[in-house]
Each structure stands twice: as structure tokens, then as C-alpha cells.
Amino acid sequence: MNITELNRECLLHVFSFLDKESRRNASLTCRRLRFLFHDAALWPLLVFHSPSELRRDNFVLGAALRHLSICWHSSRVKVCNIEDWMKSSFQRDLCRKHENIVGNFLWKVSSKCPSLRSLSLAGCGHVTDQHICEILQSCPRLKSLQLENCVRITDRTLHAVTTYGTSLASLRVDFCRNVSQAGLQLVRTTCPGLEVLAERSGGMIPDSQPDEREKLGRTLQKLLLYS
Ligand SMILES: *[C@@H]1O[C@H](CO)[C@@H](O)[C@H](O)[C@H]1NC(C)=O
Ligand SMILES: *[C@@H]1O[C@H](CO)[C@@H](O)[C@H](O)[C@H]1NC(C)=O
């Protein structure tokens, strides 16, 4: 018996054990497996570890997607977590490129994956409040949102959580330095049923421009001088 003679359910089961690349490779062998590759039921879960993975044609974004995780810890991506004014022009270009890739991807998620239940983003310095707001609005069944070390995320995302996160049961905001304690408090009081965990976020000091820091330094010096 040839593998392609198995019924759809069996083939989906077999395919479910393969990683994205193997699924794609198998899909290039015949029309039956190509068809299977595009079966939305095969893609309830997607996990990515680098921005370039988002551009490969080895996965399908569809209505069946329930769990999405994007977790980047490489030093090339970490650079995008520092402020723009601290980056070299090479780093700035690289981050802009990543930003476009991630932006396009998340935009597709918000337009194609209304059943998303959990979203986890770690080390994504490119992700903005706008992206999260769009996902919260288009994925009304989102139950779990985890953000770790996403510098661009601010209290705007927390406001969006109180407005659109009607199904949210769990929110984690770890090491997001541009989120304030007041923003977290707002979520806690507005959504008492929501579990809010925040490690270090709210207590971190946002980076400020060098001239502001100089001014602050001078003021401190004066204070010390006259006290
Ligand atoms: C998929 O196919 C490509 C090109 O033939 C090959 O280089 C790669 O190793 C294959 N990957 C897997 C996981 O089979
Ligand atoms: C974080 O907040 C600081 C101070 O408000 C601001 O200067 C900076 O641009 C923000 N960073 C990002 C990446 O949005």
C-alpha cells in the first residue's frame, strides 16, 4: 500500500509528527500531499525561533491556528531591543527589515486567524502596540497573552487589553521596560478576573536620550552641591 492511499485523517495524523520543513518537503512530492499540507487542520500550533523562519514558505496560516509562539533569543535579534538612538546604521537597517517581516506576519495573523487562543512573544523588539491591538480586536477568543522583553510595548497595549481582551484569562508582561506600574494597576482594577503576572515590568527604567540624561545628571549635581 502506498502512503497516499491512507485517508485524510490518517495522513493528517502522520503529518502532525513532522516539523514544518519536512511537511513542506513531503508536500512537494505529489498533489495529494500538497493538498494535505494546505489543510488548515494541520496547523493549530506554530512556533518560530527566528525572523527568517517567518518568510519561509513552509507553514500555513489559517483559521485553525490556536497557539502561536515567537521566541527570539539570538544576539542578532536582541540588538533590536535597544533604543534606536543607540543603534549603528547597520543595526538600524537590520531591525527595520525584521520589523517589516514581523509586522506583515502579525498583520496576516490578525486577518486570518480569528480563533487564536494563545499568543506568546519573547524578545520581539519589533512588535508594537499597534500589532497587539489589532490581534486583540480580531481574535476575540484570545485567552492567554504573554509578552517578554518586548521594548516597544507600552501602556497602550494594556489599555487595549481592558477594552478588547474580553476572553483573556491570563496576561504576562515580563521585562517590558516601557510598561508602567500605573498601566498594570489599571488592568488589575479594570479586569479583576484576569490573572496579571508581571516580572520586572513597570519597575524598569526606560532608556532616555543622552541629552536628557546629561540634563538629569547636571540637575542631580546641582542638588548635591546645594544640599
Ligand atoms: C528539505 O528539502 C531540502 C531541499 O531538498 C533539503 O535540503 C532539506 O534537508 C530537507 N529538509 C528536511 C527536514 O527534510
Ligand atoms: C520607551 O520609553 C522611553 C521613555 O518614555 C522612550 O524614550 C523610548 O523611545 C521608548 N522606547 C521604545 C522602544 O518605544
Side-chain angles (χ1 to χ4, degrees), residues 80-85 87 125 127 129 150-154 177-179 205-209 212:
C80 302
N81 269 325
I82 62 178
E83 300 294 337
D84 262 350
W85 50 266
K87 291 174 194 147
V127 173
D129 291 318
C150 300
V151 273
R152 301 242 186 133
I153 297 303
T154 71
R177 63 170 180 264
N178 272 26
V179 157
I205 302 167
D207 292 330
S208 50
Q209 295 271 3
E212 285 172 36

Side-chain angles (χ1 to χ4, degrees), residues 77-144:
V77 177
K78 257 191 201 148
V79 125
C80 302
N81 269 325
I82 62 178
E83 300 294 337
D84 262 350
W85 50 266
M86 282 170 93
K87 291 174 194 147
S88 68
S89 60
F90 169 75
Q91 291 170 331
R92 219 169 294 154
D93 284 349
L94 180 83
C95 294
R96 201 164 301 136
K97 225 177 276 166
H98 285 170
E99 187 183 331
N100 287 337
I101 298 171
V102 177
N104 281 335
F105 177 80
L106 289 178
W107 179 77
K108 277 191 208 144
V109 170
S110 56
S111 60
K112 291 182 169 179
C113 313
S115 316
L116 195 66
R117 298 288 199 278
S118 85
L119 174 65
S120 173
L121 302 172
C124 302
H126 335 80
V127 173
T128 63
D129 291 318
Q130 189 58 34
H131 297 134
I132 306 291
C133 292
E134 269 165 23
I135 287 185
L136 281 166
Q137 288 180 57
S138 352
C139 310
R141 275 171 279 180
L142 194 70
K143 279 190 76 167
S144 158

